[in-house]
Every structure is written in C-alpha cells, then in structure tokens.
Amino acid sequence: MERIVVIGANHAGTAAINTILDNYKDNKVVIFDSNDNISFLGCGMALWIGEQIHSSEGLFYCSKDIFEKKGAKVYMETRVERIDYDKKIVFAEGKYGQRYQQEYDKLILATGSLPISPNIEGKELDNVQFVKLFQNAKDVIDKLHNDALKDIVVVGAGYIGVELAEAFRRVGKNVTLIDNMHTCLSSYYDQEFSDIMSENLSSHGIKLVYNEIVTKLEGNGKVEKVVTDKNEYHADMVVLGIGFKPNNRLGKDDLELFCNGAFLVDKQQQTSQPDVYAIGDCATVFDNSIQKTNYIALATNAVRSGIVAAHNVCGTPLESIGVQGSNGICIWNLKMVSTGISYAKAKKLGYDAAAVDYEDTQKPAFIEHDNYKVKIRIVYDKKTRIVLGAQLCSEYDISMAIHMFSLAIQEQVTIDRLKLTDIFFLPHFNQPYNYFTMAALQAK
Ligand SMILES: Cc1cc2nc3c(=O)[nH]c(=O)nc-3n(C[C@H](O)[C@H](O)[C@H](O)COP(=O)(O)OP(=O)(O)OC[C@H]3O[C@@H](n4cnc5c(N)ncnc54)[C@H](O)[C@@H]3O)c2cc1C
Ligand SMILES: NC(=O)C1=CN([C@@H]2O[C@H](COP(=O)(O)OP(=O)(O)OC[C@H]3O[C@@H](n4cnc5c(N)ncnc54)[C@H](O)[C@@H]3O)[C@@H](O)[C@H]2O)C=CC1
C-alpha cells in the first residue's frame, strides 16, 4: 500500500484522484484543498453571470463526499503550507488553525494557477475583481444586482475577458473591453479571425479599446476610473482577466521550473524530485505544434495530465502524448475554434510558415436553412510541410471540426496529406468540395 498525497482537488486533482480511487483501490489517498468546493467549472462562470443558465448547481461534477465514499481522506479548507521533500512530509493548516503533518510515498501537486495581478496603483480598490473561483463569480453576481452599478471595464480581451464582456452586456451593463494588443483573442487567432469577433462584440454594444495599457485605477474606496496610457474610462467595476500564472509556491525552491515558473514535468508528469508529480495549471505541457515544452492553462489539459500522473504514481507506466492547446469560444452564437499556433505566432517563433484560407457555406447553396458561412485557415511549415495550426469561425457549430486538425498536429501530419483526406459528403451536413479539402489544396 502506497501513501499518495494530492494537493489541490480541482480539475487536475479530481481527475488524478478519481483515476487512483477507481483503478487502484489498495492505496491510501490523502487530499488537501484550501478551498471549500471541488471541481468548479470556471467555464460555466460567464453563462451563470450572463444568466444563460439559472444557477450554479450544475457547475460542479465532484465533491468531498464522492471521494470519501471511495475511501479517500479529504481535508477541505486546509492549505498546505510547506513540503519537506527530503523527509517526504506535507505540512498543512486548517481554517481554524488545526495543523497536520502527512507523510507520503508519492506526491501529486495540483495547485493550479492564479490570475495575473498587474502591477498598477489602485488594484486593491473595492469592485476590482478577479474571476477564477466560484466565490469570485458569486461576489460579482451579487454586485451586478445593484442597478447603480452600470459601467464595467474588463481588462484583457482574452478568453475570460471576451466571455465576461458578453455576460455583462447580457445583463444590461455598459461594457468597455481593454487590451494592450491590437485586437482581441490574439493568443489564439490571427487578426482576420479576431476582427470578426471584434465586429460581433461592437455590434452588441461593447466598447473596444485596443493598443492601450492600463496604468492605474482610481477611486475613493471603490473604483471609479481606469486610466490608460492614452485615455480614461469611468468604471463602477473593473474585471481583470490578463492571464494566469502557475501557482508554484510549494515547490519553487525545490523543483525545476519552466521560464514562467511552472513545475517542469516529463511526459509522465514527473517533476525533478523523485516521487513528486505535477499536473494541470501548475505544470508544463509538451506542445506538439512547436515540439517543445510550453505552458497552456486549460481544464482539458488538467484532466488529461491528472489521468497520466495517476497511472504512473500507481505503477502503470503511461506517457502523455502532448497537447495542441485546442480551444473554442462562442459569443452571441459566433463560434470560433483553434488549435496549434496562429500564422502570426508561427512567424514570431521564426517558422517559415504559410497560411491557406477558404470561405464557403457549410452545406450546398440549395440547403436553405441552418446553412452558415464557415471561414477556415490552416497554418503549416513550408519547409517540413507539417501542419502547425488551424482556425475556424462560423455561426454553424463547427466545433468538432477542429479535432481533426488537433490530431493532425499531434501526429505531425503534412498539409499535403490533408489535401486528399477522405471526408464524407451529405448535403444535410456539408459539401462535396468541402472547405477542409479546398483550403488544403491551396497549399503550394
Ligand atoms: C472564467 C474561466 C473560464 C474558463 N473556461 C475554460 C474553458 O472553457 N475551457 C478550458 O479548458 N479551460 C477553461 N478555464 C481554465 C480552467 O479553469 C483551468 O485550466 C483549470 O481550472 C485548471 O485546473 P487545475 O486543477 O490545474 O487548477 P485550479 O483550477 O487552479 O485548481 C487548483 C486547486 O488547488 C488548490 N490549492 C492551491 N494551492 C493549495 C495549497 N497550498 N494547499 C491546498 N490546496 C491548494 C486550490 O484551492 C484549487 O482547488 C477557465 C478558467 C476560468 C477562470
Ligand atoms: N473558452 C476557453 O477555453 C477558456 C479558457 N480560459 C483559459 O484560462 C486562462 C486564463 O484566461 P485569460 O485570463 O483570459 O487569459 P488569456 O491568455 O486568454 O488572455 C489574456 C489577455 O490579456 C491581455 N493582456 C495581458 N496583459 C495585459 C495588460 N497589462 N493590459 C491589458 N491586457 C493585457 C492579453 O493580450 C490577452 O488578450 C487561459 O489559459 C485561457 O485559455 C479561460 C476562459 C475560457
């Protein structure tokens, strides 16, 4: 029997814990989490805030109870303060000051990420919000009920910022969305795609402010103003969504780190310390699109890395196959999905890259209903011909299409192989000359 300690029981931790408890029943599993809930789907936060779902109930898929019924010992609201990696002991403190010492044979760090806090004056003012935890969402929703709270400035037009801008607009607030880049969603899409999202956001009344850097927040107790290098914006609430950083506090002095501080792990999720594994947002991933170690904070990566670590910890060797950072967003019915890297990113990274684009309706023109335009871009390396990334955008649900490109990047498929990939045709679904083939065929 092994003593397995898991620190952090959100998406990564939950995946690891369930895999261990379901498949390797003879171990002693001890879980610590500083929060009072498990498995909160942050991805449902915008839907809840924007009243597209009526409650938060469905946003949890696991609990302390479930773990305990499967035989684990669970300490909630208990923060691990320190780890003695030589003696293999975890030191934790409960909400009421209770102290715990737990020895381990194998340790899984699943401490996740923290929202990046900009180094600006005024960020401690009331109504300046981060949106990561269940408690953050509740807090924001309570404040939104106050009709005097009218103007919301969202800083960061990445995934959180864009989703929340929509949510705030849906509940009748005036929304200004600020990003220091020249467009929204710039880490995921080329401008030809992000411009479509910008147009979607502005047509729904969101004020877009790009290429401005927030320099300070002003107010009297409560935030009242966002000051940038070029302008000032009135704000009754400011939401900061400028990215995540890995929560490495428990290992930053003892474990090897990636350039952004994430715990550096191998394909078995093992850190530089023997018997210590790291998963989810606190750890690195192997990024197949660039064939290098990277940091990509996504729930999907968290879950898969949890499964991989669990099997290795319990003695079944299993290697991660790497990730492509596949992602998607849906804002007022405009759906955008991407995988791998954009053309702009490929160029920035020094690839001799090319992009092929195609635009068409999803189905033949004679289909009169539920037939939308689809825009696709495939990015590939001109030298190796290997696919580096893909982007799709439509009001049609094209989400499943991105998985094919995800697999192509994972398997290092060339653009030329995609040209003749067998793609079925039925007018109810697609076209005989479909946009995958048509885009790929353009590659010279
Ligand atoms: C608003 C929002 C929307 C999102 N939407 C999506 C989406 O649509 N798709 C997607 O793939 N991803 C999405 N994400 C990202 C996703 O939520 C994260 O990638 C995911 O939560 C990572 O899971 P994790 O378990 O690694 O880390 P976390 O969720 O950060 O969990 C870490 C856990 O560790 C605990 N912990 C930390 N330190 C200690 C300690 N010292 N002692 C004890 N416990 C500790 C914390 O309490 C927490 O429970 C979204 C995130 C947000 C905020
Ligand atoms: N649909 C999905 O899959 C979702 C995924 N997530 C994930 O959660 C993580 C965190 O999300 P985000 O915080 O939105 O990160 P993000 O990386 O998606 O976006 C951050 C944005 O902030 C901007 N920015 C950075 N510094 C800034 C500054 N000082 N001032 C103004 N803008 C600044 C960046 O240009 C970028 O557009 C990401 O990994 C994201 O992929 C979050 C929400 C939804």
Side-chain angles (χ1 to χ4, degrees):
M1 186 190 73
E2 296 251 65
R3 291 162 303 178
I4 303 170
V5 172
V6 183
I7 307 174
N10 210 28
H11 303 302
T14 294
I17 294 160
N18 277 327
T19 305
I20 298 169
L21 296 174
D22 294 343
N23 297 289
Y24 306 95
K25 296 186 197 292
D26 293 340
N27 296 299
K28 177 179 177 191
V29 179
V30 183
I31 301 159
F32 293 96
D33 199 295
S34 47
N35 207 340
D36 61 6
N37 61 70
I38 284 172
S39 76
F40 173 58
L41 286 164
C43 44
M45 194 186 285
L47 293 169
W48 181 27
I49 292 174
E51 297 179 356
Q52 288 179 272
I53 55 174
H54 70 277
S55 86
S56 60
E57 260 168 53
L59 297 181
F60 299 90
Y61 58 87
C62 200
S63 65
K64 177 176 193 259
D65 229 34
I66 293 177
F67 289 151
E68 283 175 342
K69 282 198 181 113
K70 294 185 194 178
K73 173 81 192 150
V74 187
Y75 296 94
M76 294 304 294
E77 296 182 88
T78 305
R79 180 177 299 280
V80 172
E81 297 294 349
R82 170 170 87 78
I83 298 163
D84 185 326
Y85 290 97
D86 296 327
K87 296 199 176 115
K88 295 183 143 187
I89 304 174
V90 160
F91 298 87
E93 186 173 341
K95 189 169 138 183
Y96 303 107
Q98 322 87 295
R99 291 186 179 275
Y100 305 99
Q101 278 190 32
Q102 176 65 52
E103 291 183 16
Y104 64 84
D105 300 305
K106 297 272 167 40
L107 176 65
I108 300 180
L109 297 169
T111 50
S113 53
L114 300 168
I116 294 173
S117 179
N119 194 13
I120 50 169
E121 199 185 314
K123 65 181 177 187
E124 68 298 331
L125 288 164
D126 283 352
N127 288 2
V128 177
Q129 310 277 345
F130 287 112
V131 279
K132 173 98 205 290
L133 307 176
F134 171 66
Q135 292 88 336
N136 300 147
K138 245 174 45 185
D139 194 20
V140 165
I141 288 170
D142 286 346
K143 289 178 177 169
L144 289 177
H145 289 146
N146 175 1
D147 289 336
L149 192 151
K150 290 193 171 75
D151 298 336
I152 303 182
V153 173
V154 178
V155 182
Y159 265 164
I160 289 184
V162 169
E163 288 184 352
L164 287 178
E166 179 200 24
F168 294 139
R169 198 70 200 116
R170 278 181 182 270
V171 293
K173 306 296 176 183
N174 303 319
V175 183
T176 303
L177 180 61
I178 303 181
D179 203 288
N180 58 0
M181 299 295 284
H182 57 288
T183 182
C184 63
L185 304 178
S186 59
S187 338
Y188 310 94
Y189 301 94
D190 285 312
Q191 191 156 1
E192 290 82 349
F193 284 72
S194 59
D195 278 351
I196 300 170
M197 182 57 81
S198 292
E199 167 55 30
N200 182 33
L201 295 168
S202 2
S203 70
H204 284 91
I206 291 169
K207 182 181 164 82
L208 301 176
V209 176
Y210 296 147
N211 277 320
E212 288 191 26
I213 297 169
V214 176
T215 51
K216 65 175 167 174
L217 307 176
E218 285 180 4
N220 192 5
K222 267 193 191 135
V223 71
E224 289 165 10
K225 201 192 281 178
V226 175
V227 182
T228 73
D229 54 343
K230 294 181 186 132
N231 281 302
E232 296 184 353
Y233 304 92
H234 178 261
D236 300 312
M237 183 192 274
V238 172
V239 171
L240 298 169
I242 61 166
F244 285 176
K245 62 176 184 191
N247 178 5
N248 66 7
R249 198 179 60 83
L250 293 174
K252 65 180 177 345
D253 301 324
D254 300 273
L255 305 178
E256 248 181 70
L257 304 179
F258 187 55
C259 56
N260 75 336
F263 300 133
L264 199 62
V265 293
D266 62 15
K267 286 189 173 177
Q268 298 193 328
Q269 301 299 138
Q270 198 156 4
T271 68
S272 52
Q273 285 273 355
D275 301 323
V276 180
Y277 294 73
I279 55 177
D281 282 7
C282 67
T284 54
V285 290
F286 184 79
D287 183 341
N288 289 312
S289 62
I290 55 171
Q291 291 287 299
K292 277 190 185 139
T293 297
N294 203 353
Y295 181 73
I296 305 177
L298 283 172
T300 46
N301 295 346
V303 169
R304 279 189 298 265
S305 62
I307 294 169
V308 169
H311 285 293
N312 287 307
V313 158
C314 296
T316 309
L318 179 65
E319 285 204 339
S320 155
I321 43 179
V323 304
Q324 290 72 245
S326 302
N327 61 83
I329 190 165
C330 179
I331 302 292
W332 281 297
N333 208 33
L334 175 66
K335 297 152 185 90
M336 290 179 53
V337 288
S338 81
T339 186
I341 53 175
S342 65
Y343 177 70
K345 179 104 178 266
K347 284 300 209 191
K348 203 165 144 202
L349 291 174
Y351 284 94
D352 184 9
V356 282
D357 294 342
Y358 199 75
E359 210 173 322
D360 203 351
T361 49
Q362 172 69 28
K363 305 172 198 176
F366 64 81
I367 301 280
E368 290 166 17
H369 300 291
D370 196 28
N371 194 5
Y372 297 93
K373 264 197 181 159
V374 179
K375 186 176 165 68
I376 183 172
R377 164 166 287 191
I378 310 172
V379 182
Y380 63 99
D381 184 335
K382 279 200 271 186
K383 228 181 280 157
T384 63
R385 312 289 293 167
I386 291 171
V387 177
L388 297 171
Q391 301 158 57
L392 282 128
C393 167
S394 182
E395 283 179 61
Y396 189 77
D397 183 0
I398 35 73
S399 57
M400 297 303 276
I402 205 67
H403 303 318
M404 182 177 88
F405 292 98
S406 183
L407 183 62
I409 299 170
Q410 177 188 297
E411 297 302 319
Q412 299 285 282
V413 171
T414 64
I415 185 81
D416 307 305
R417 300 284 291 171
L418 283 187
K419 287 176 183 173
L420 297 176
T421 294
D422 176 7
I423 290 166
F424 85 95
F425 159 59
L426 186 77
H428 306 66
F429 294 113
N430 58 8
Q431 302 210 43
Y433 287 86
N434 71 80
Y435 46 79
F436 303 105
T437 311
M438 298 308 281
L441 279 171
Q442 290 182 52
K444 297 277 174 304

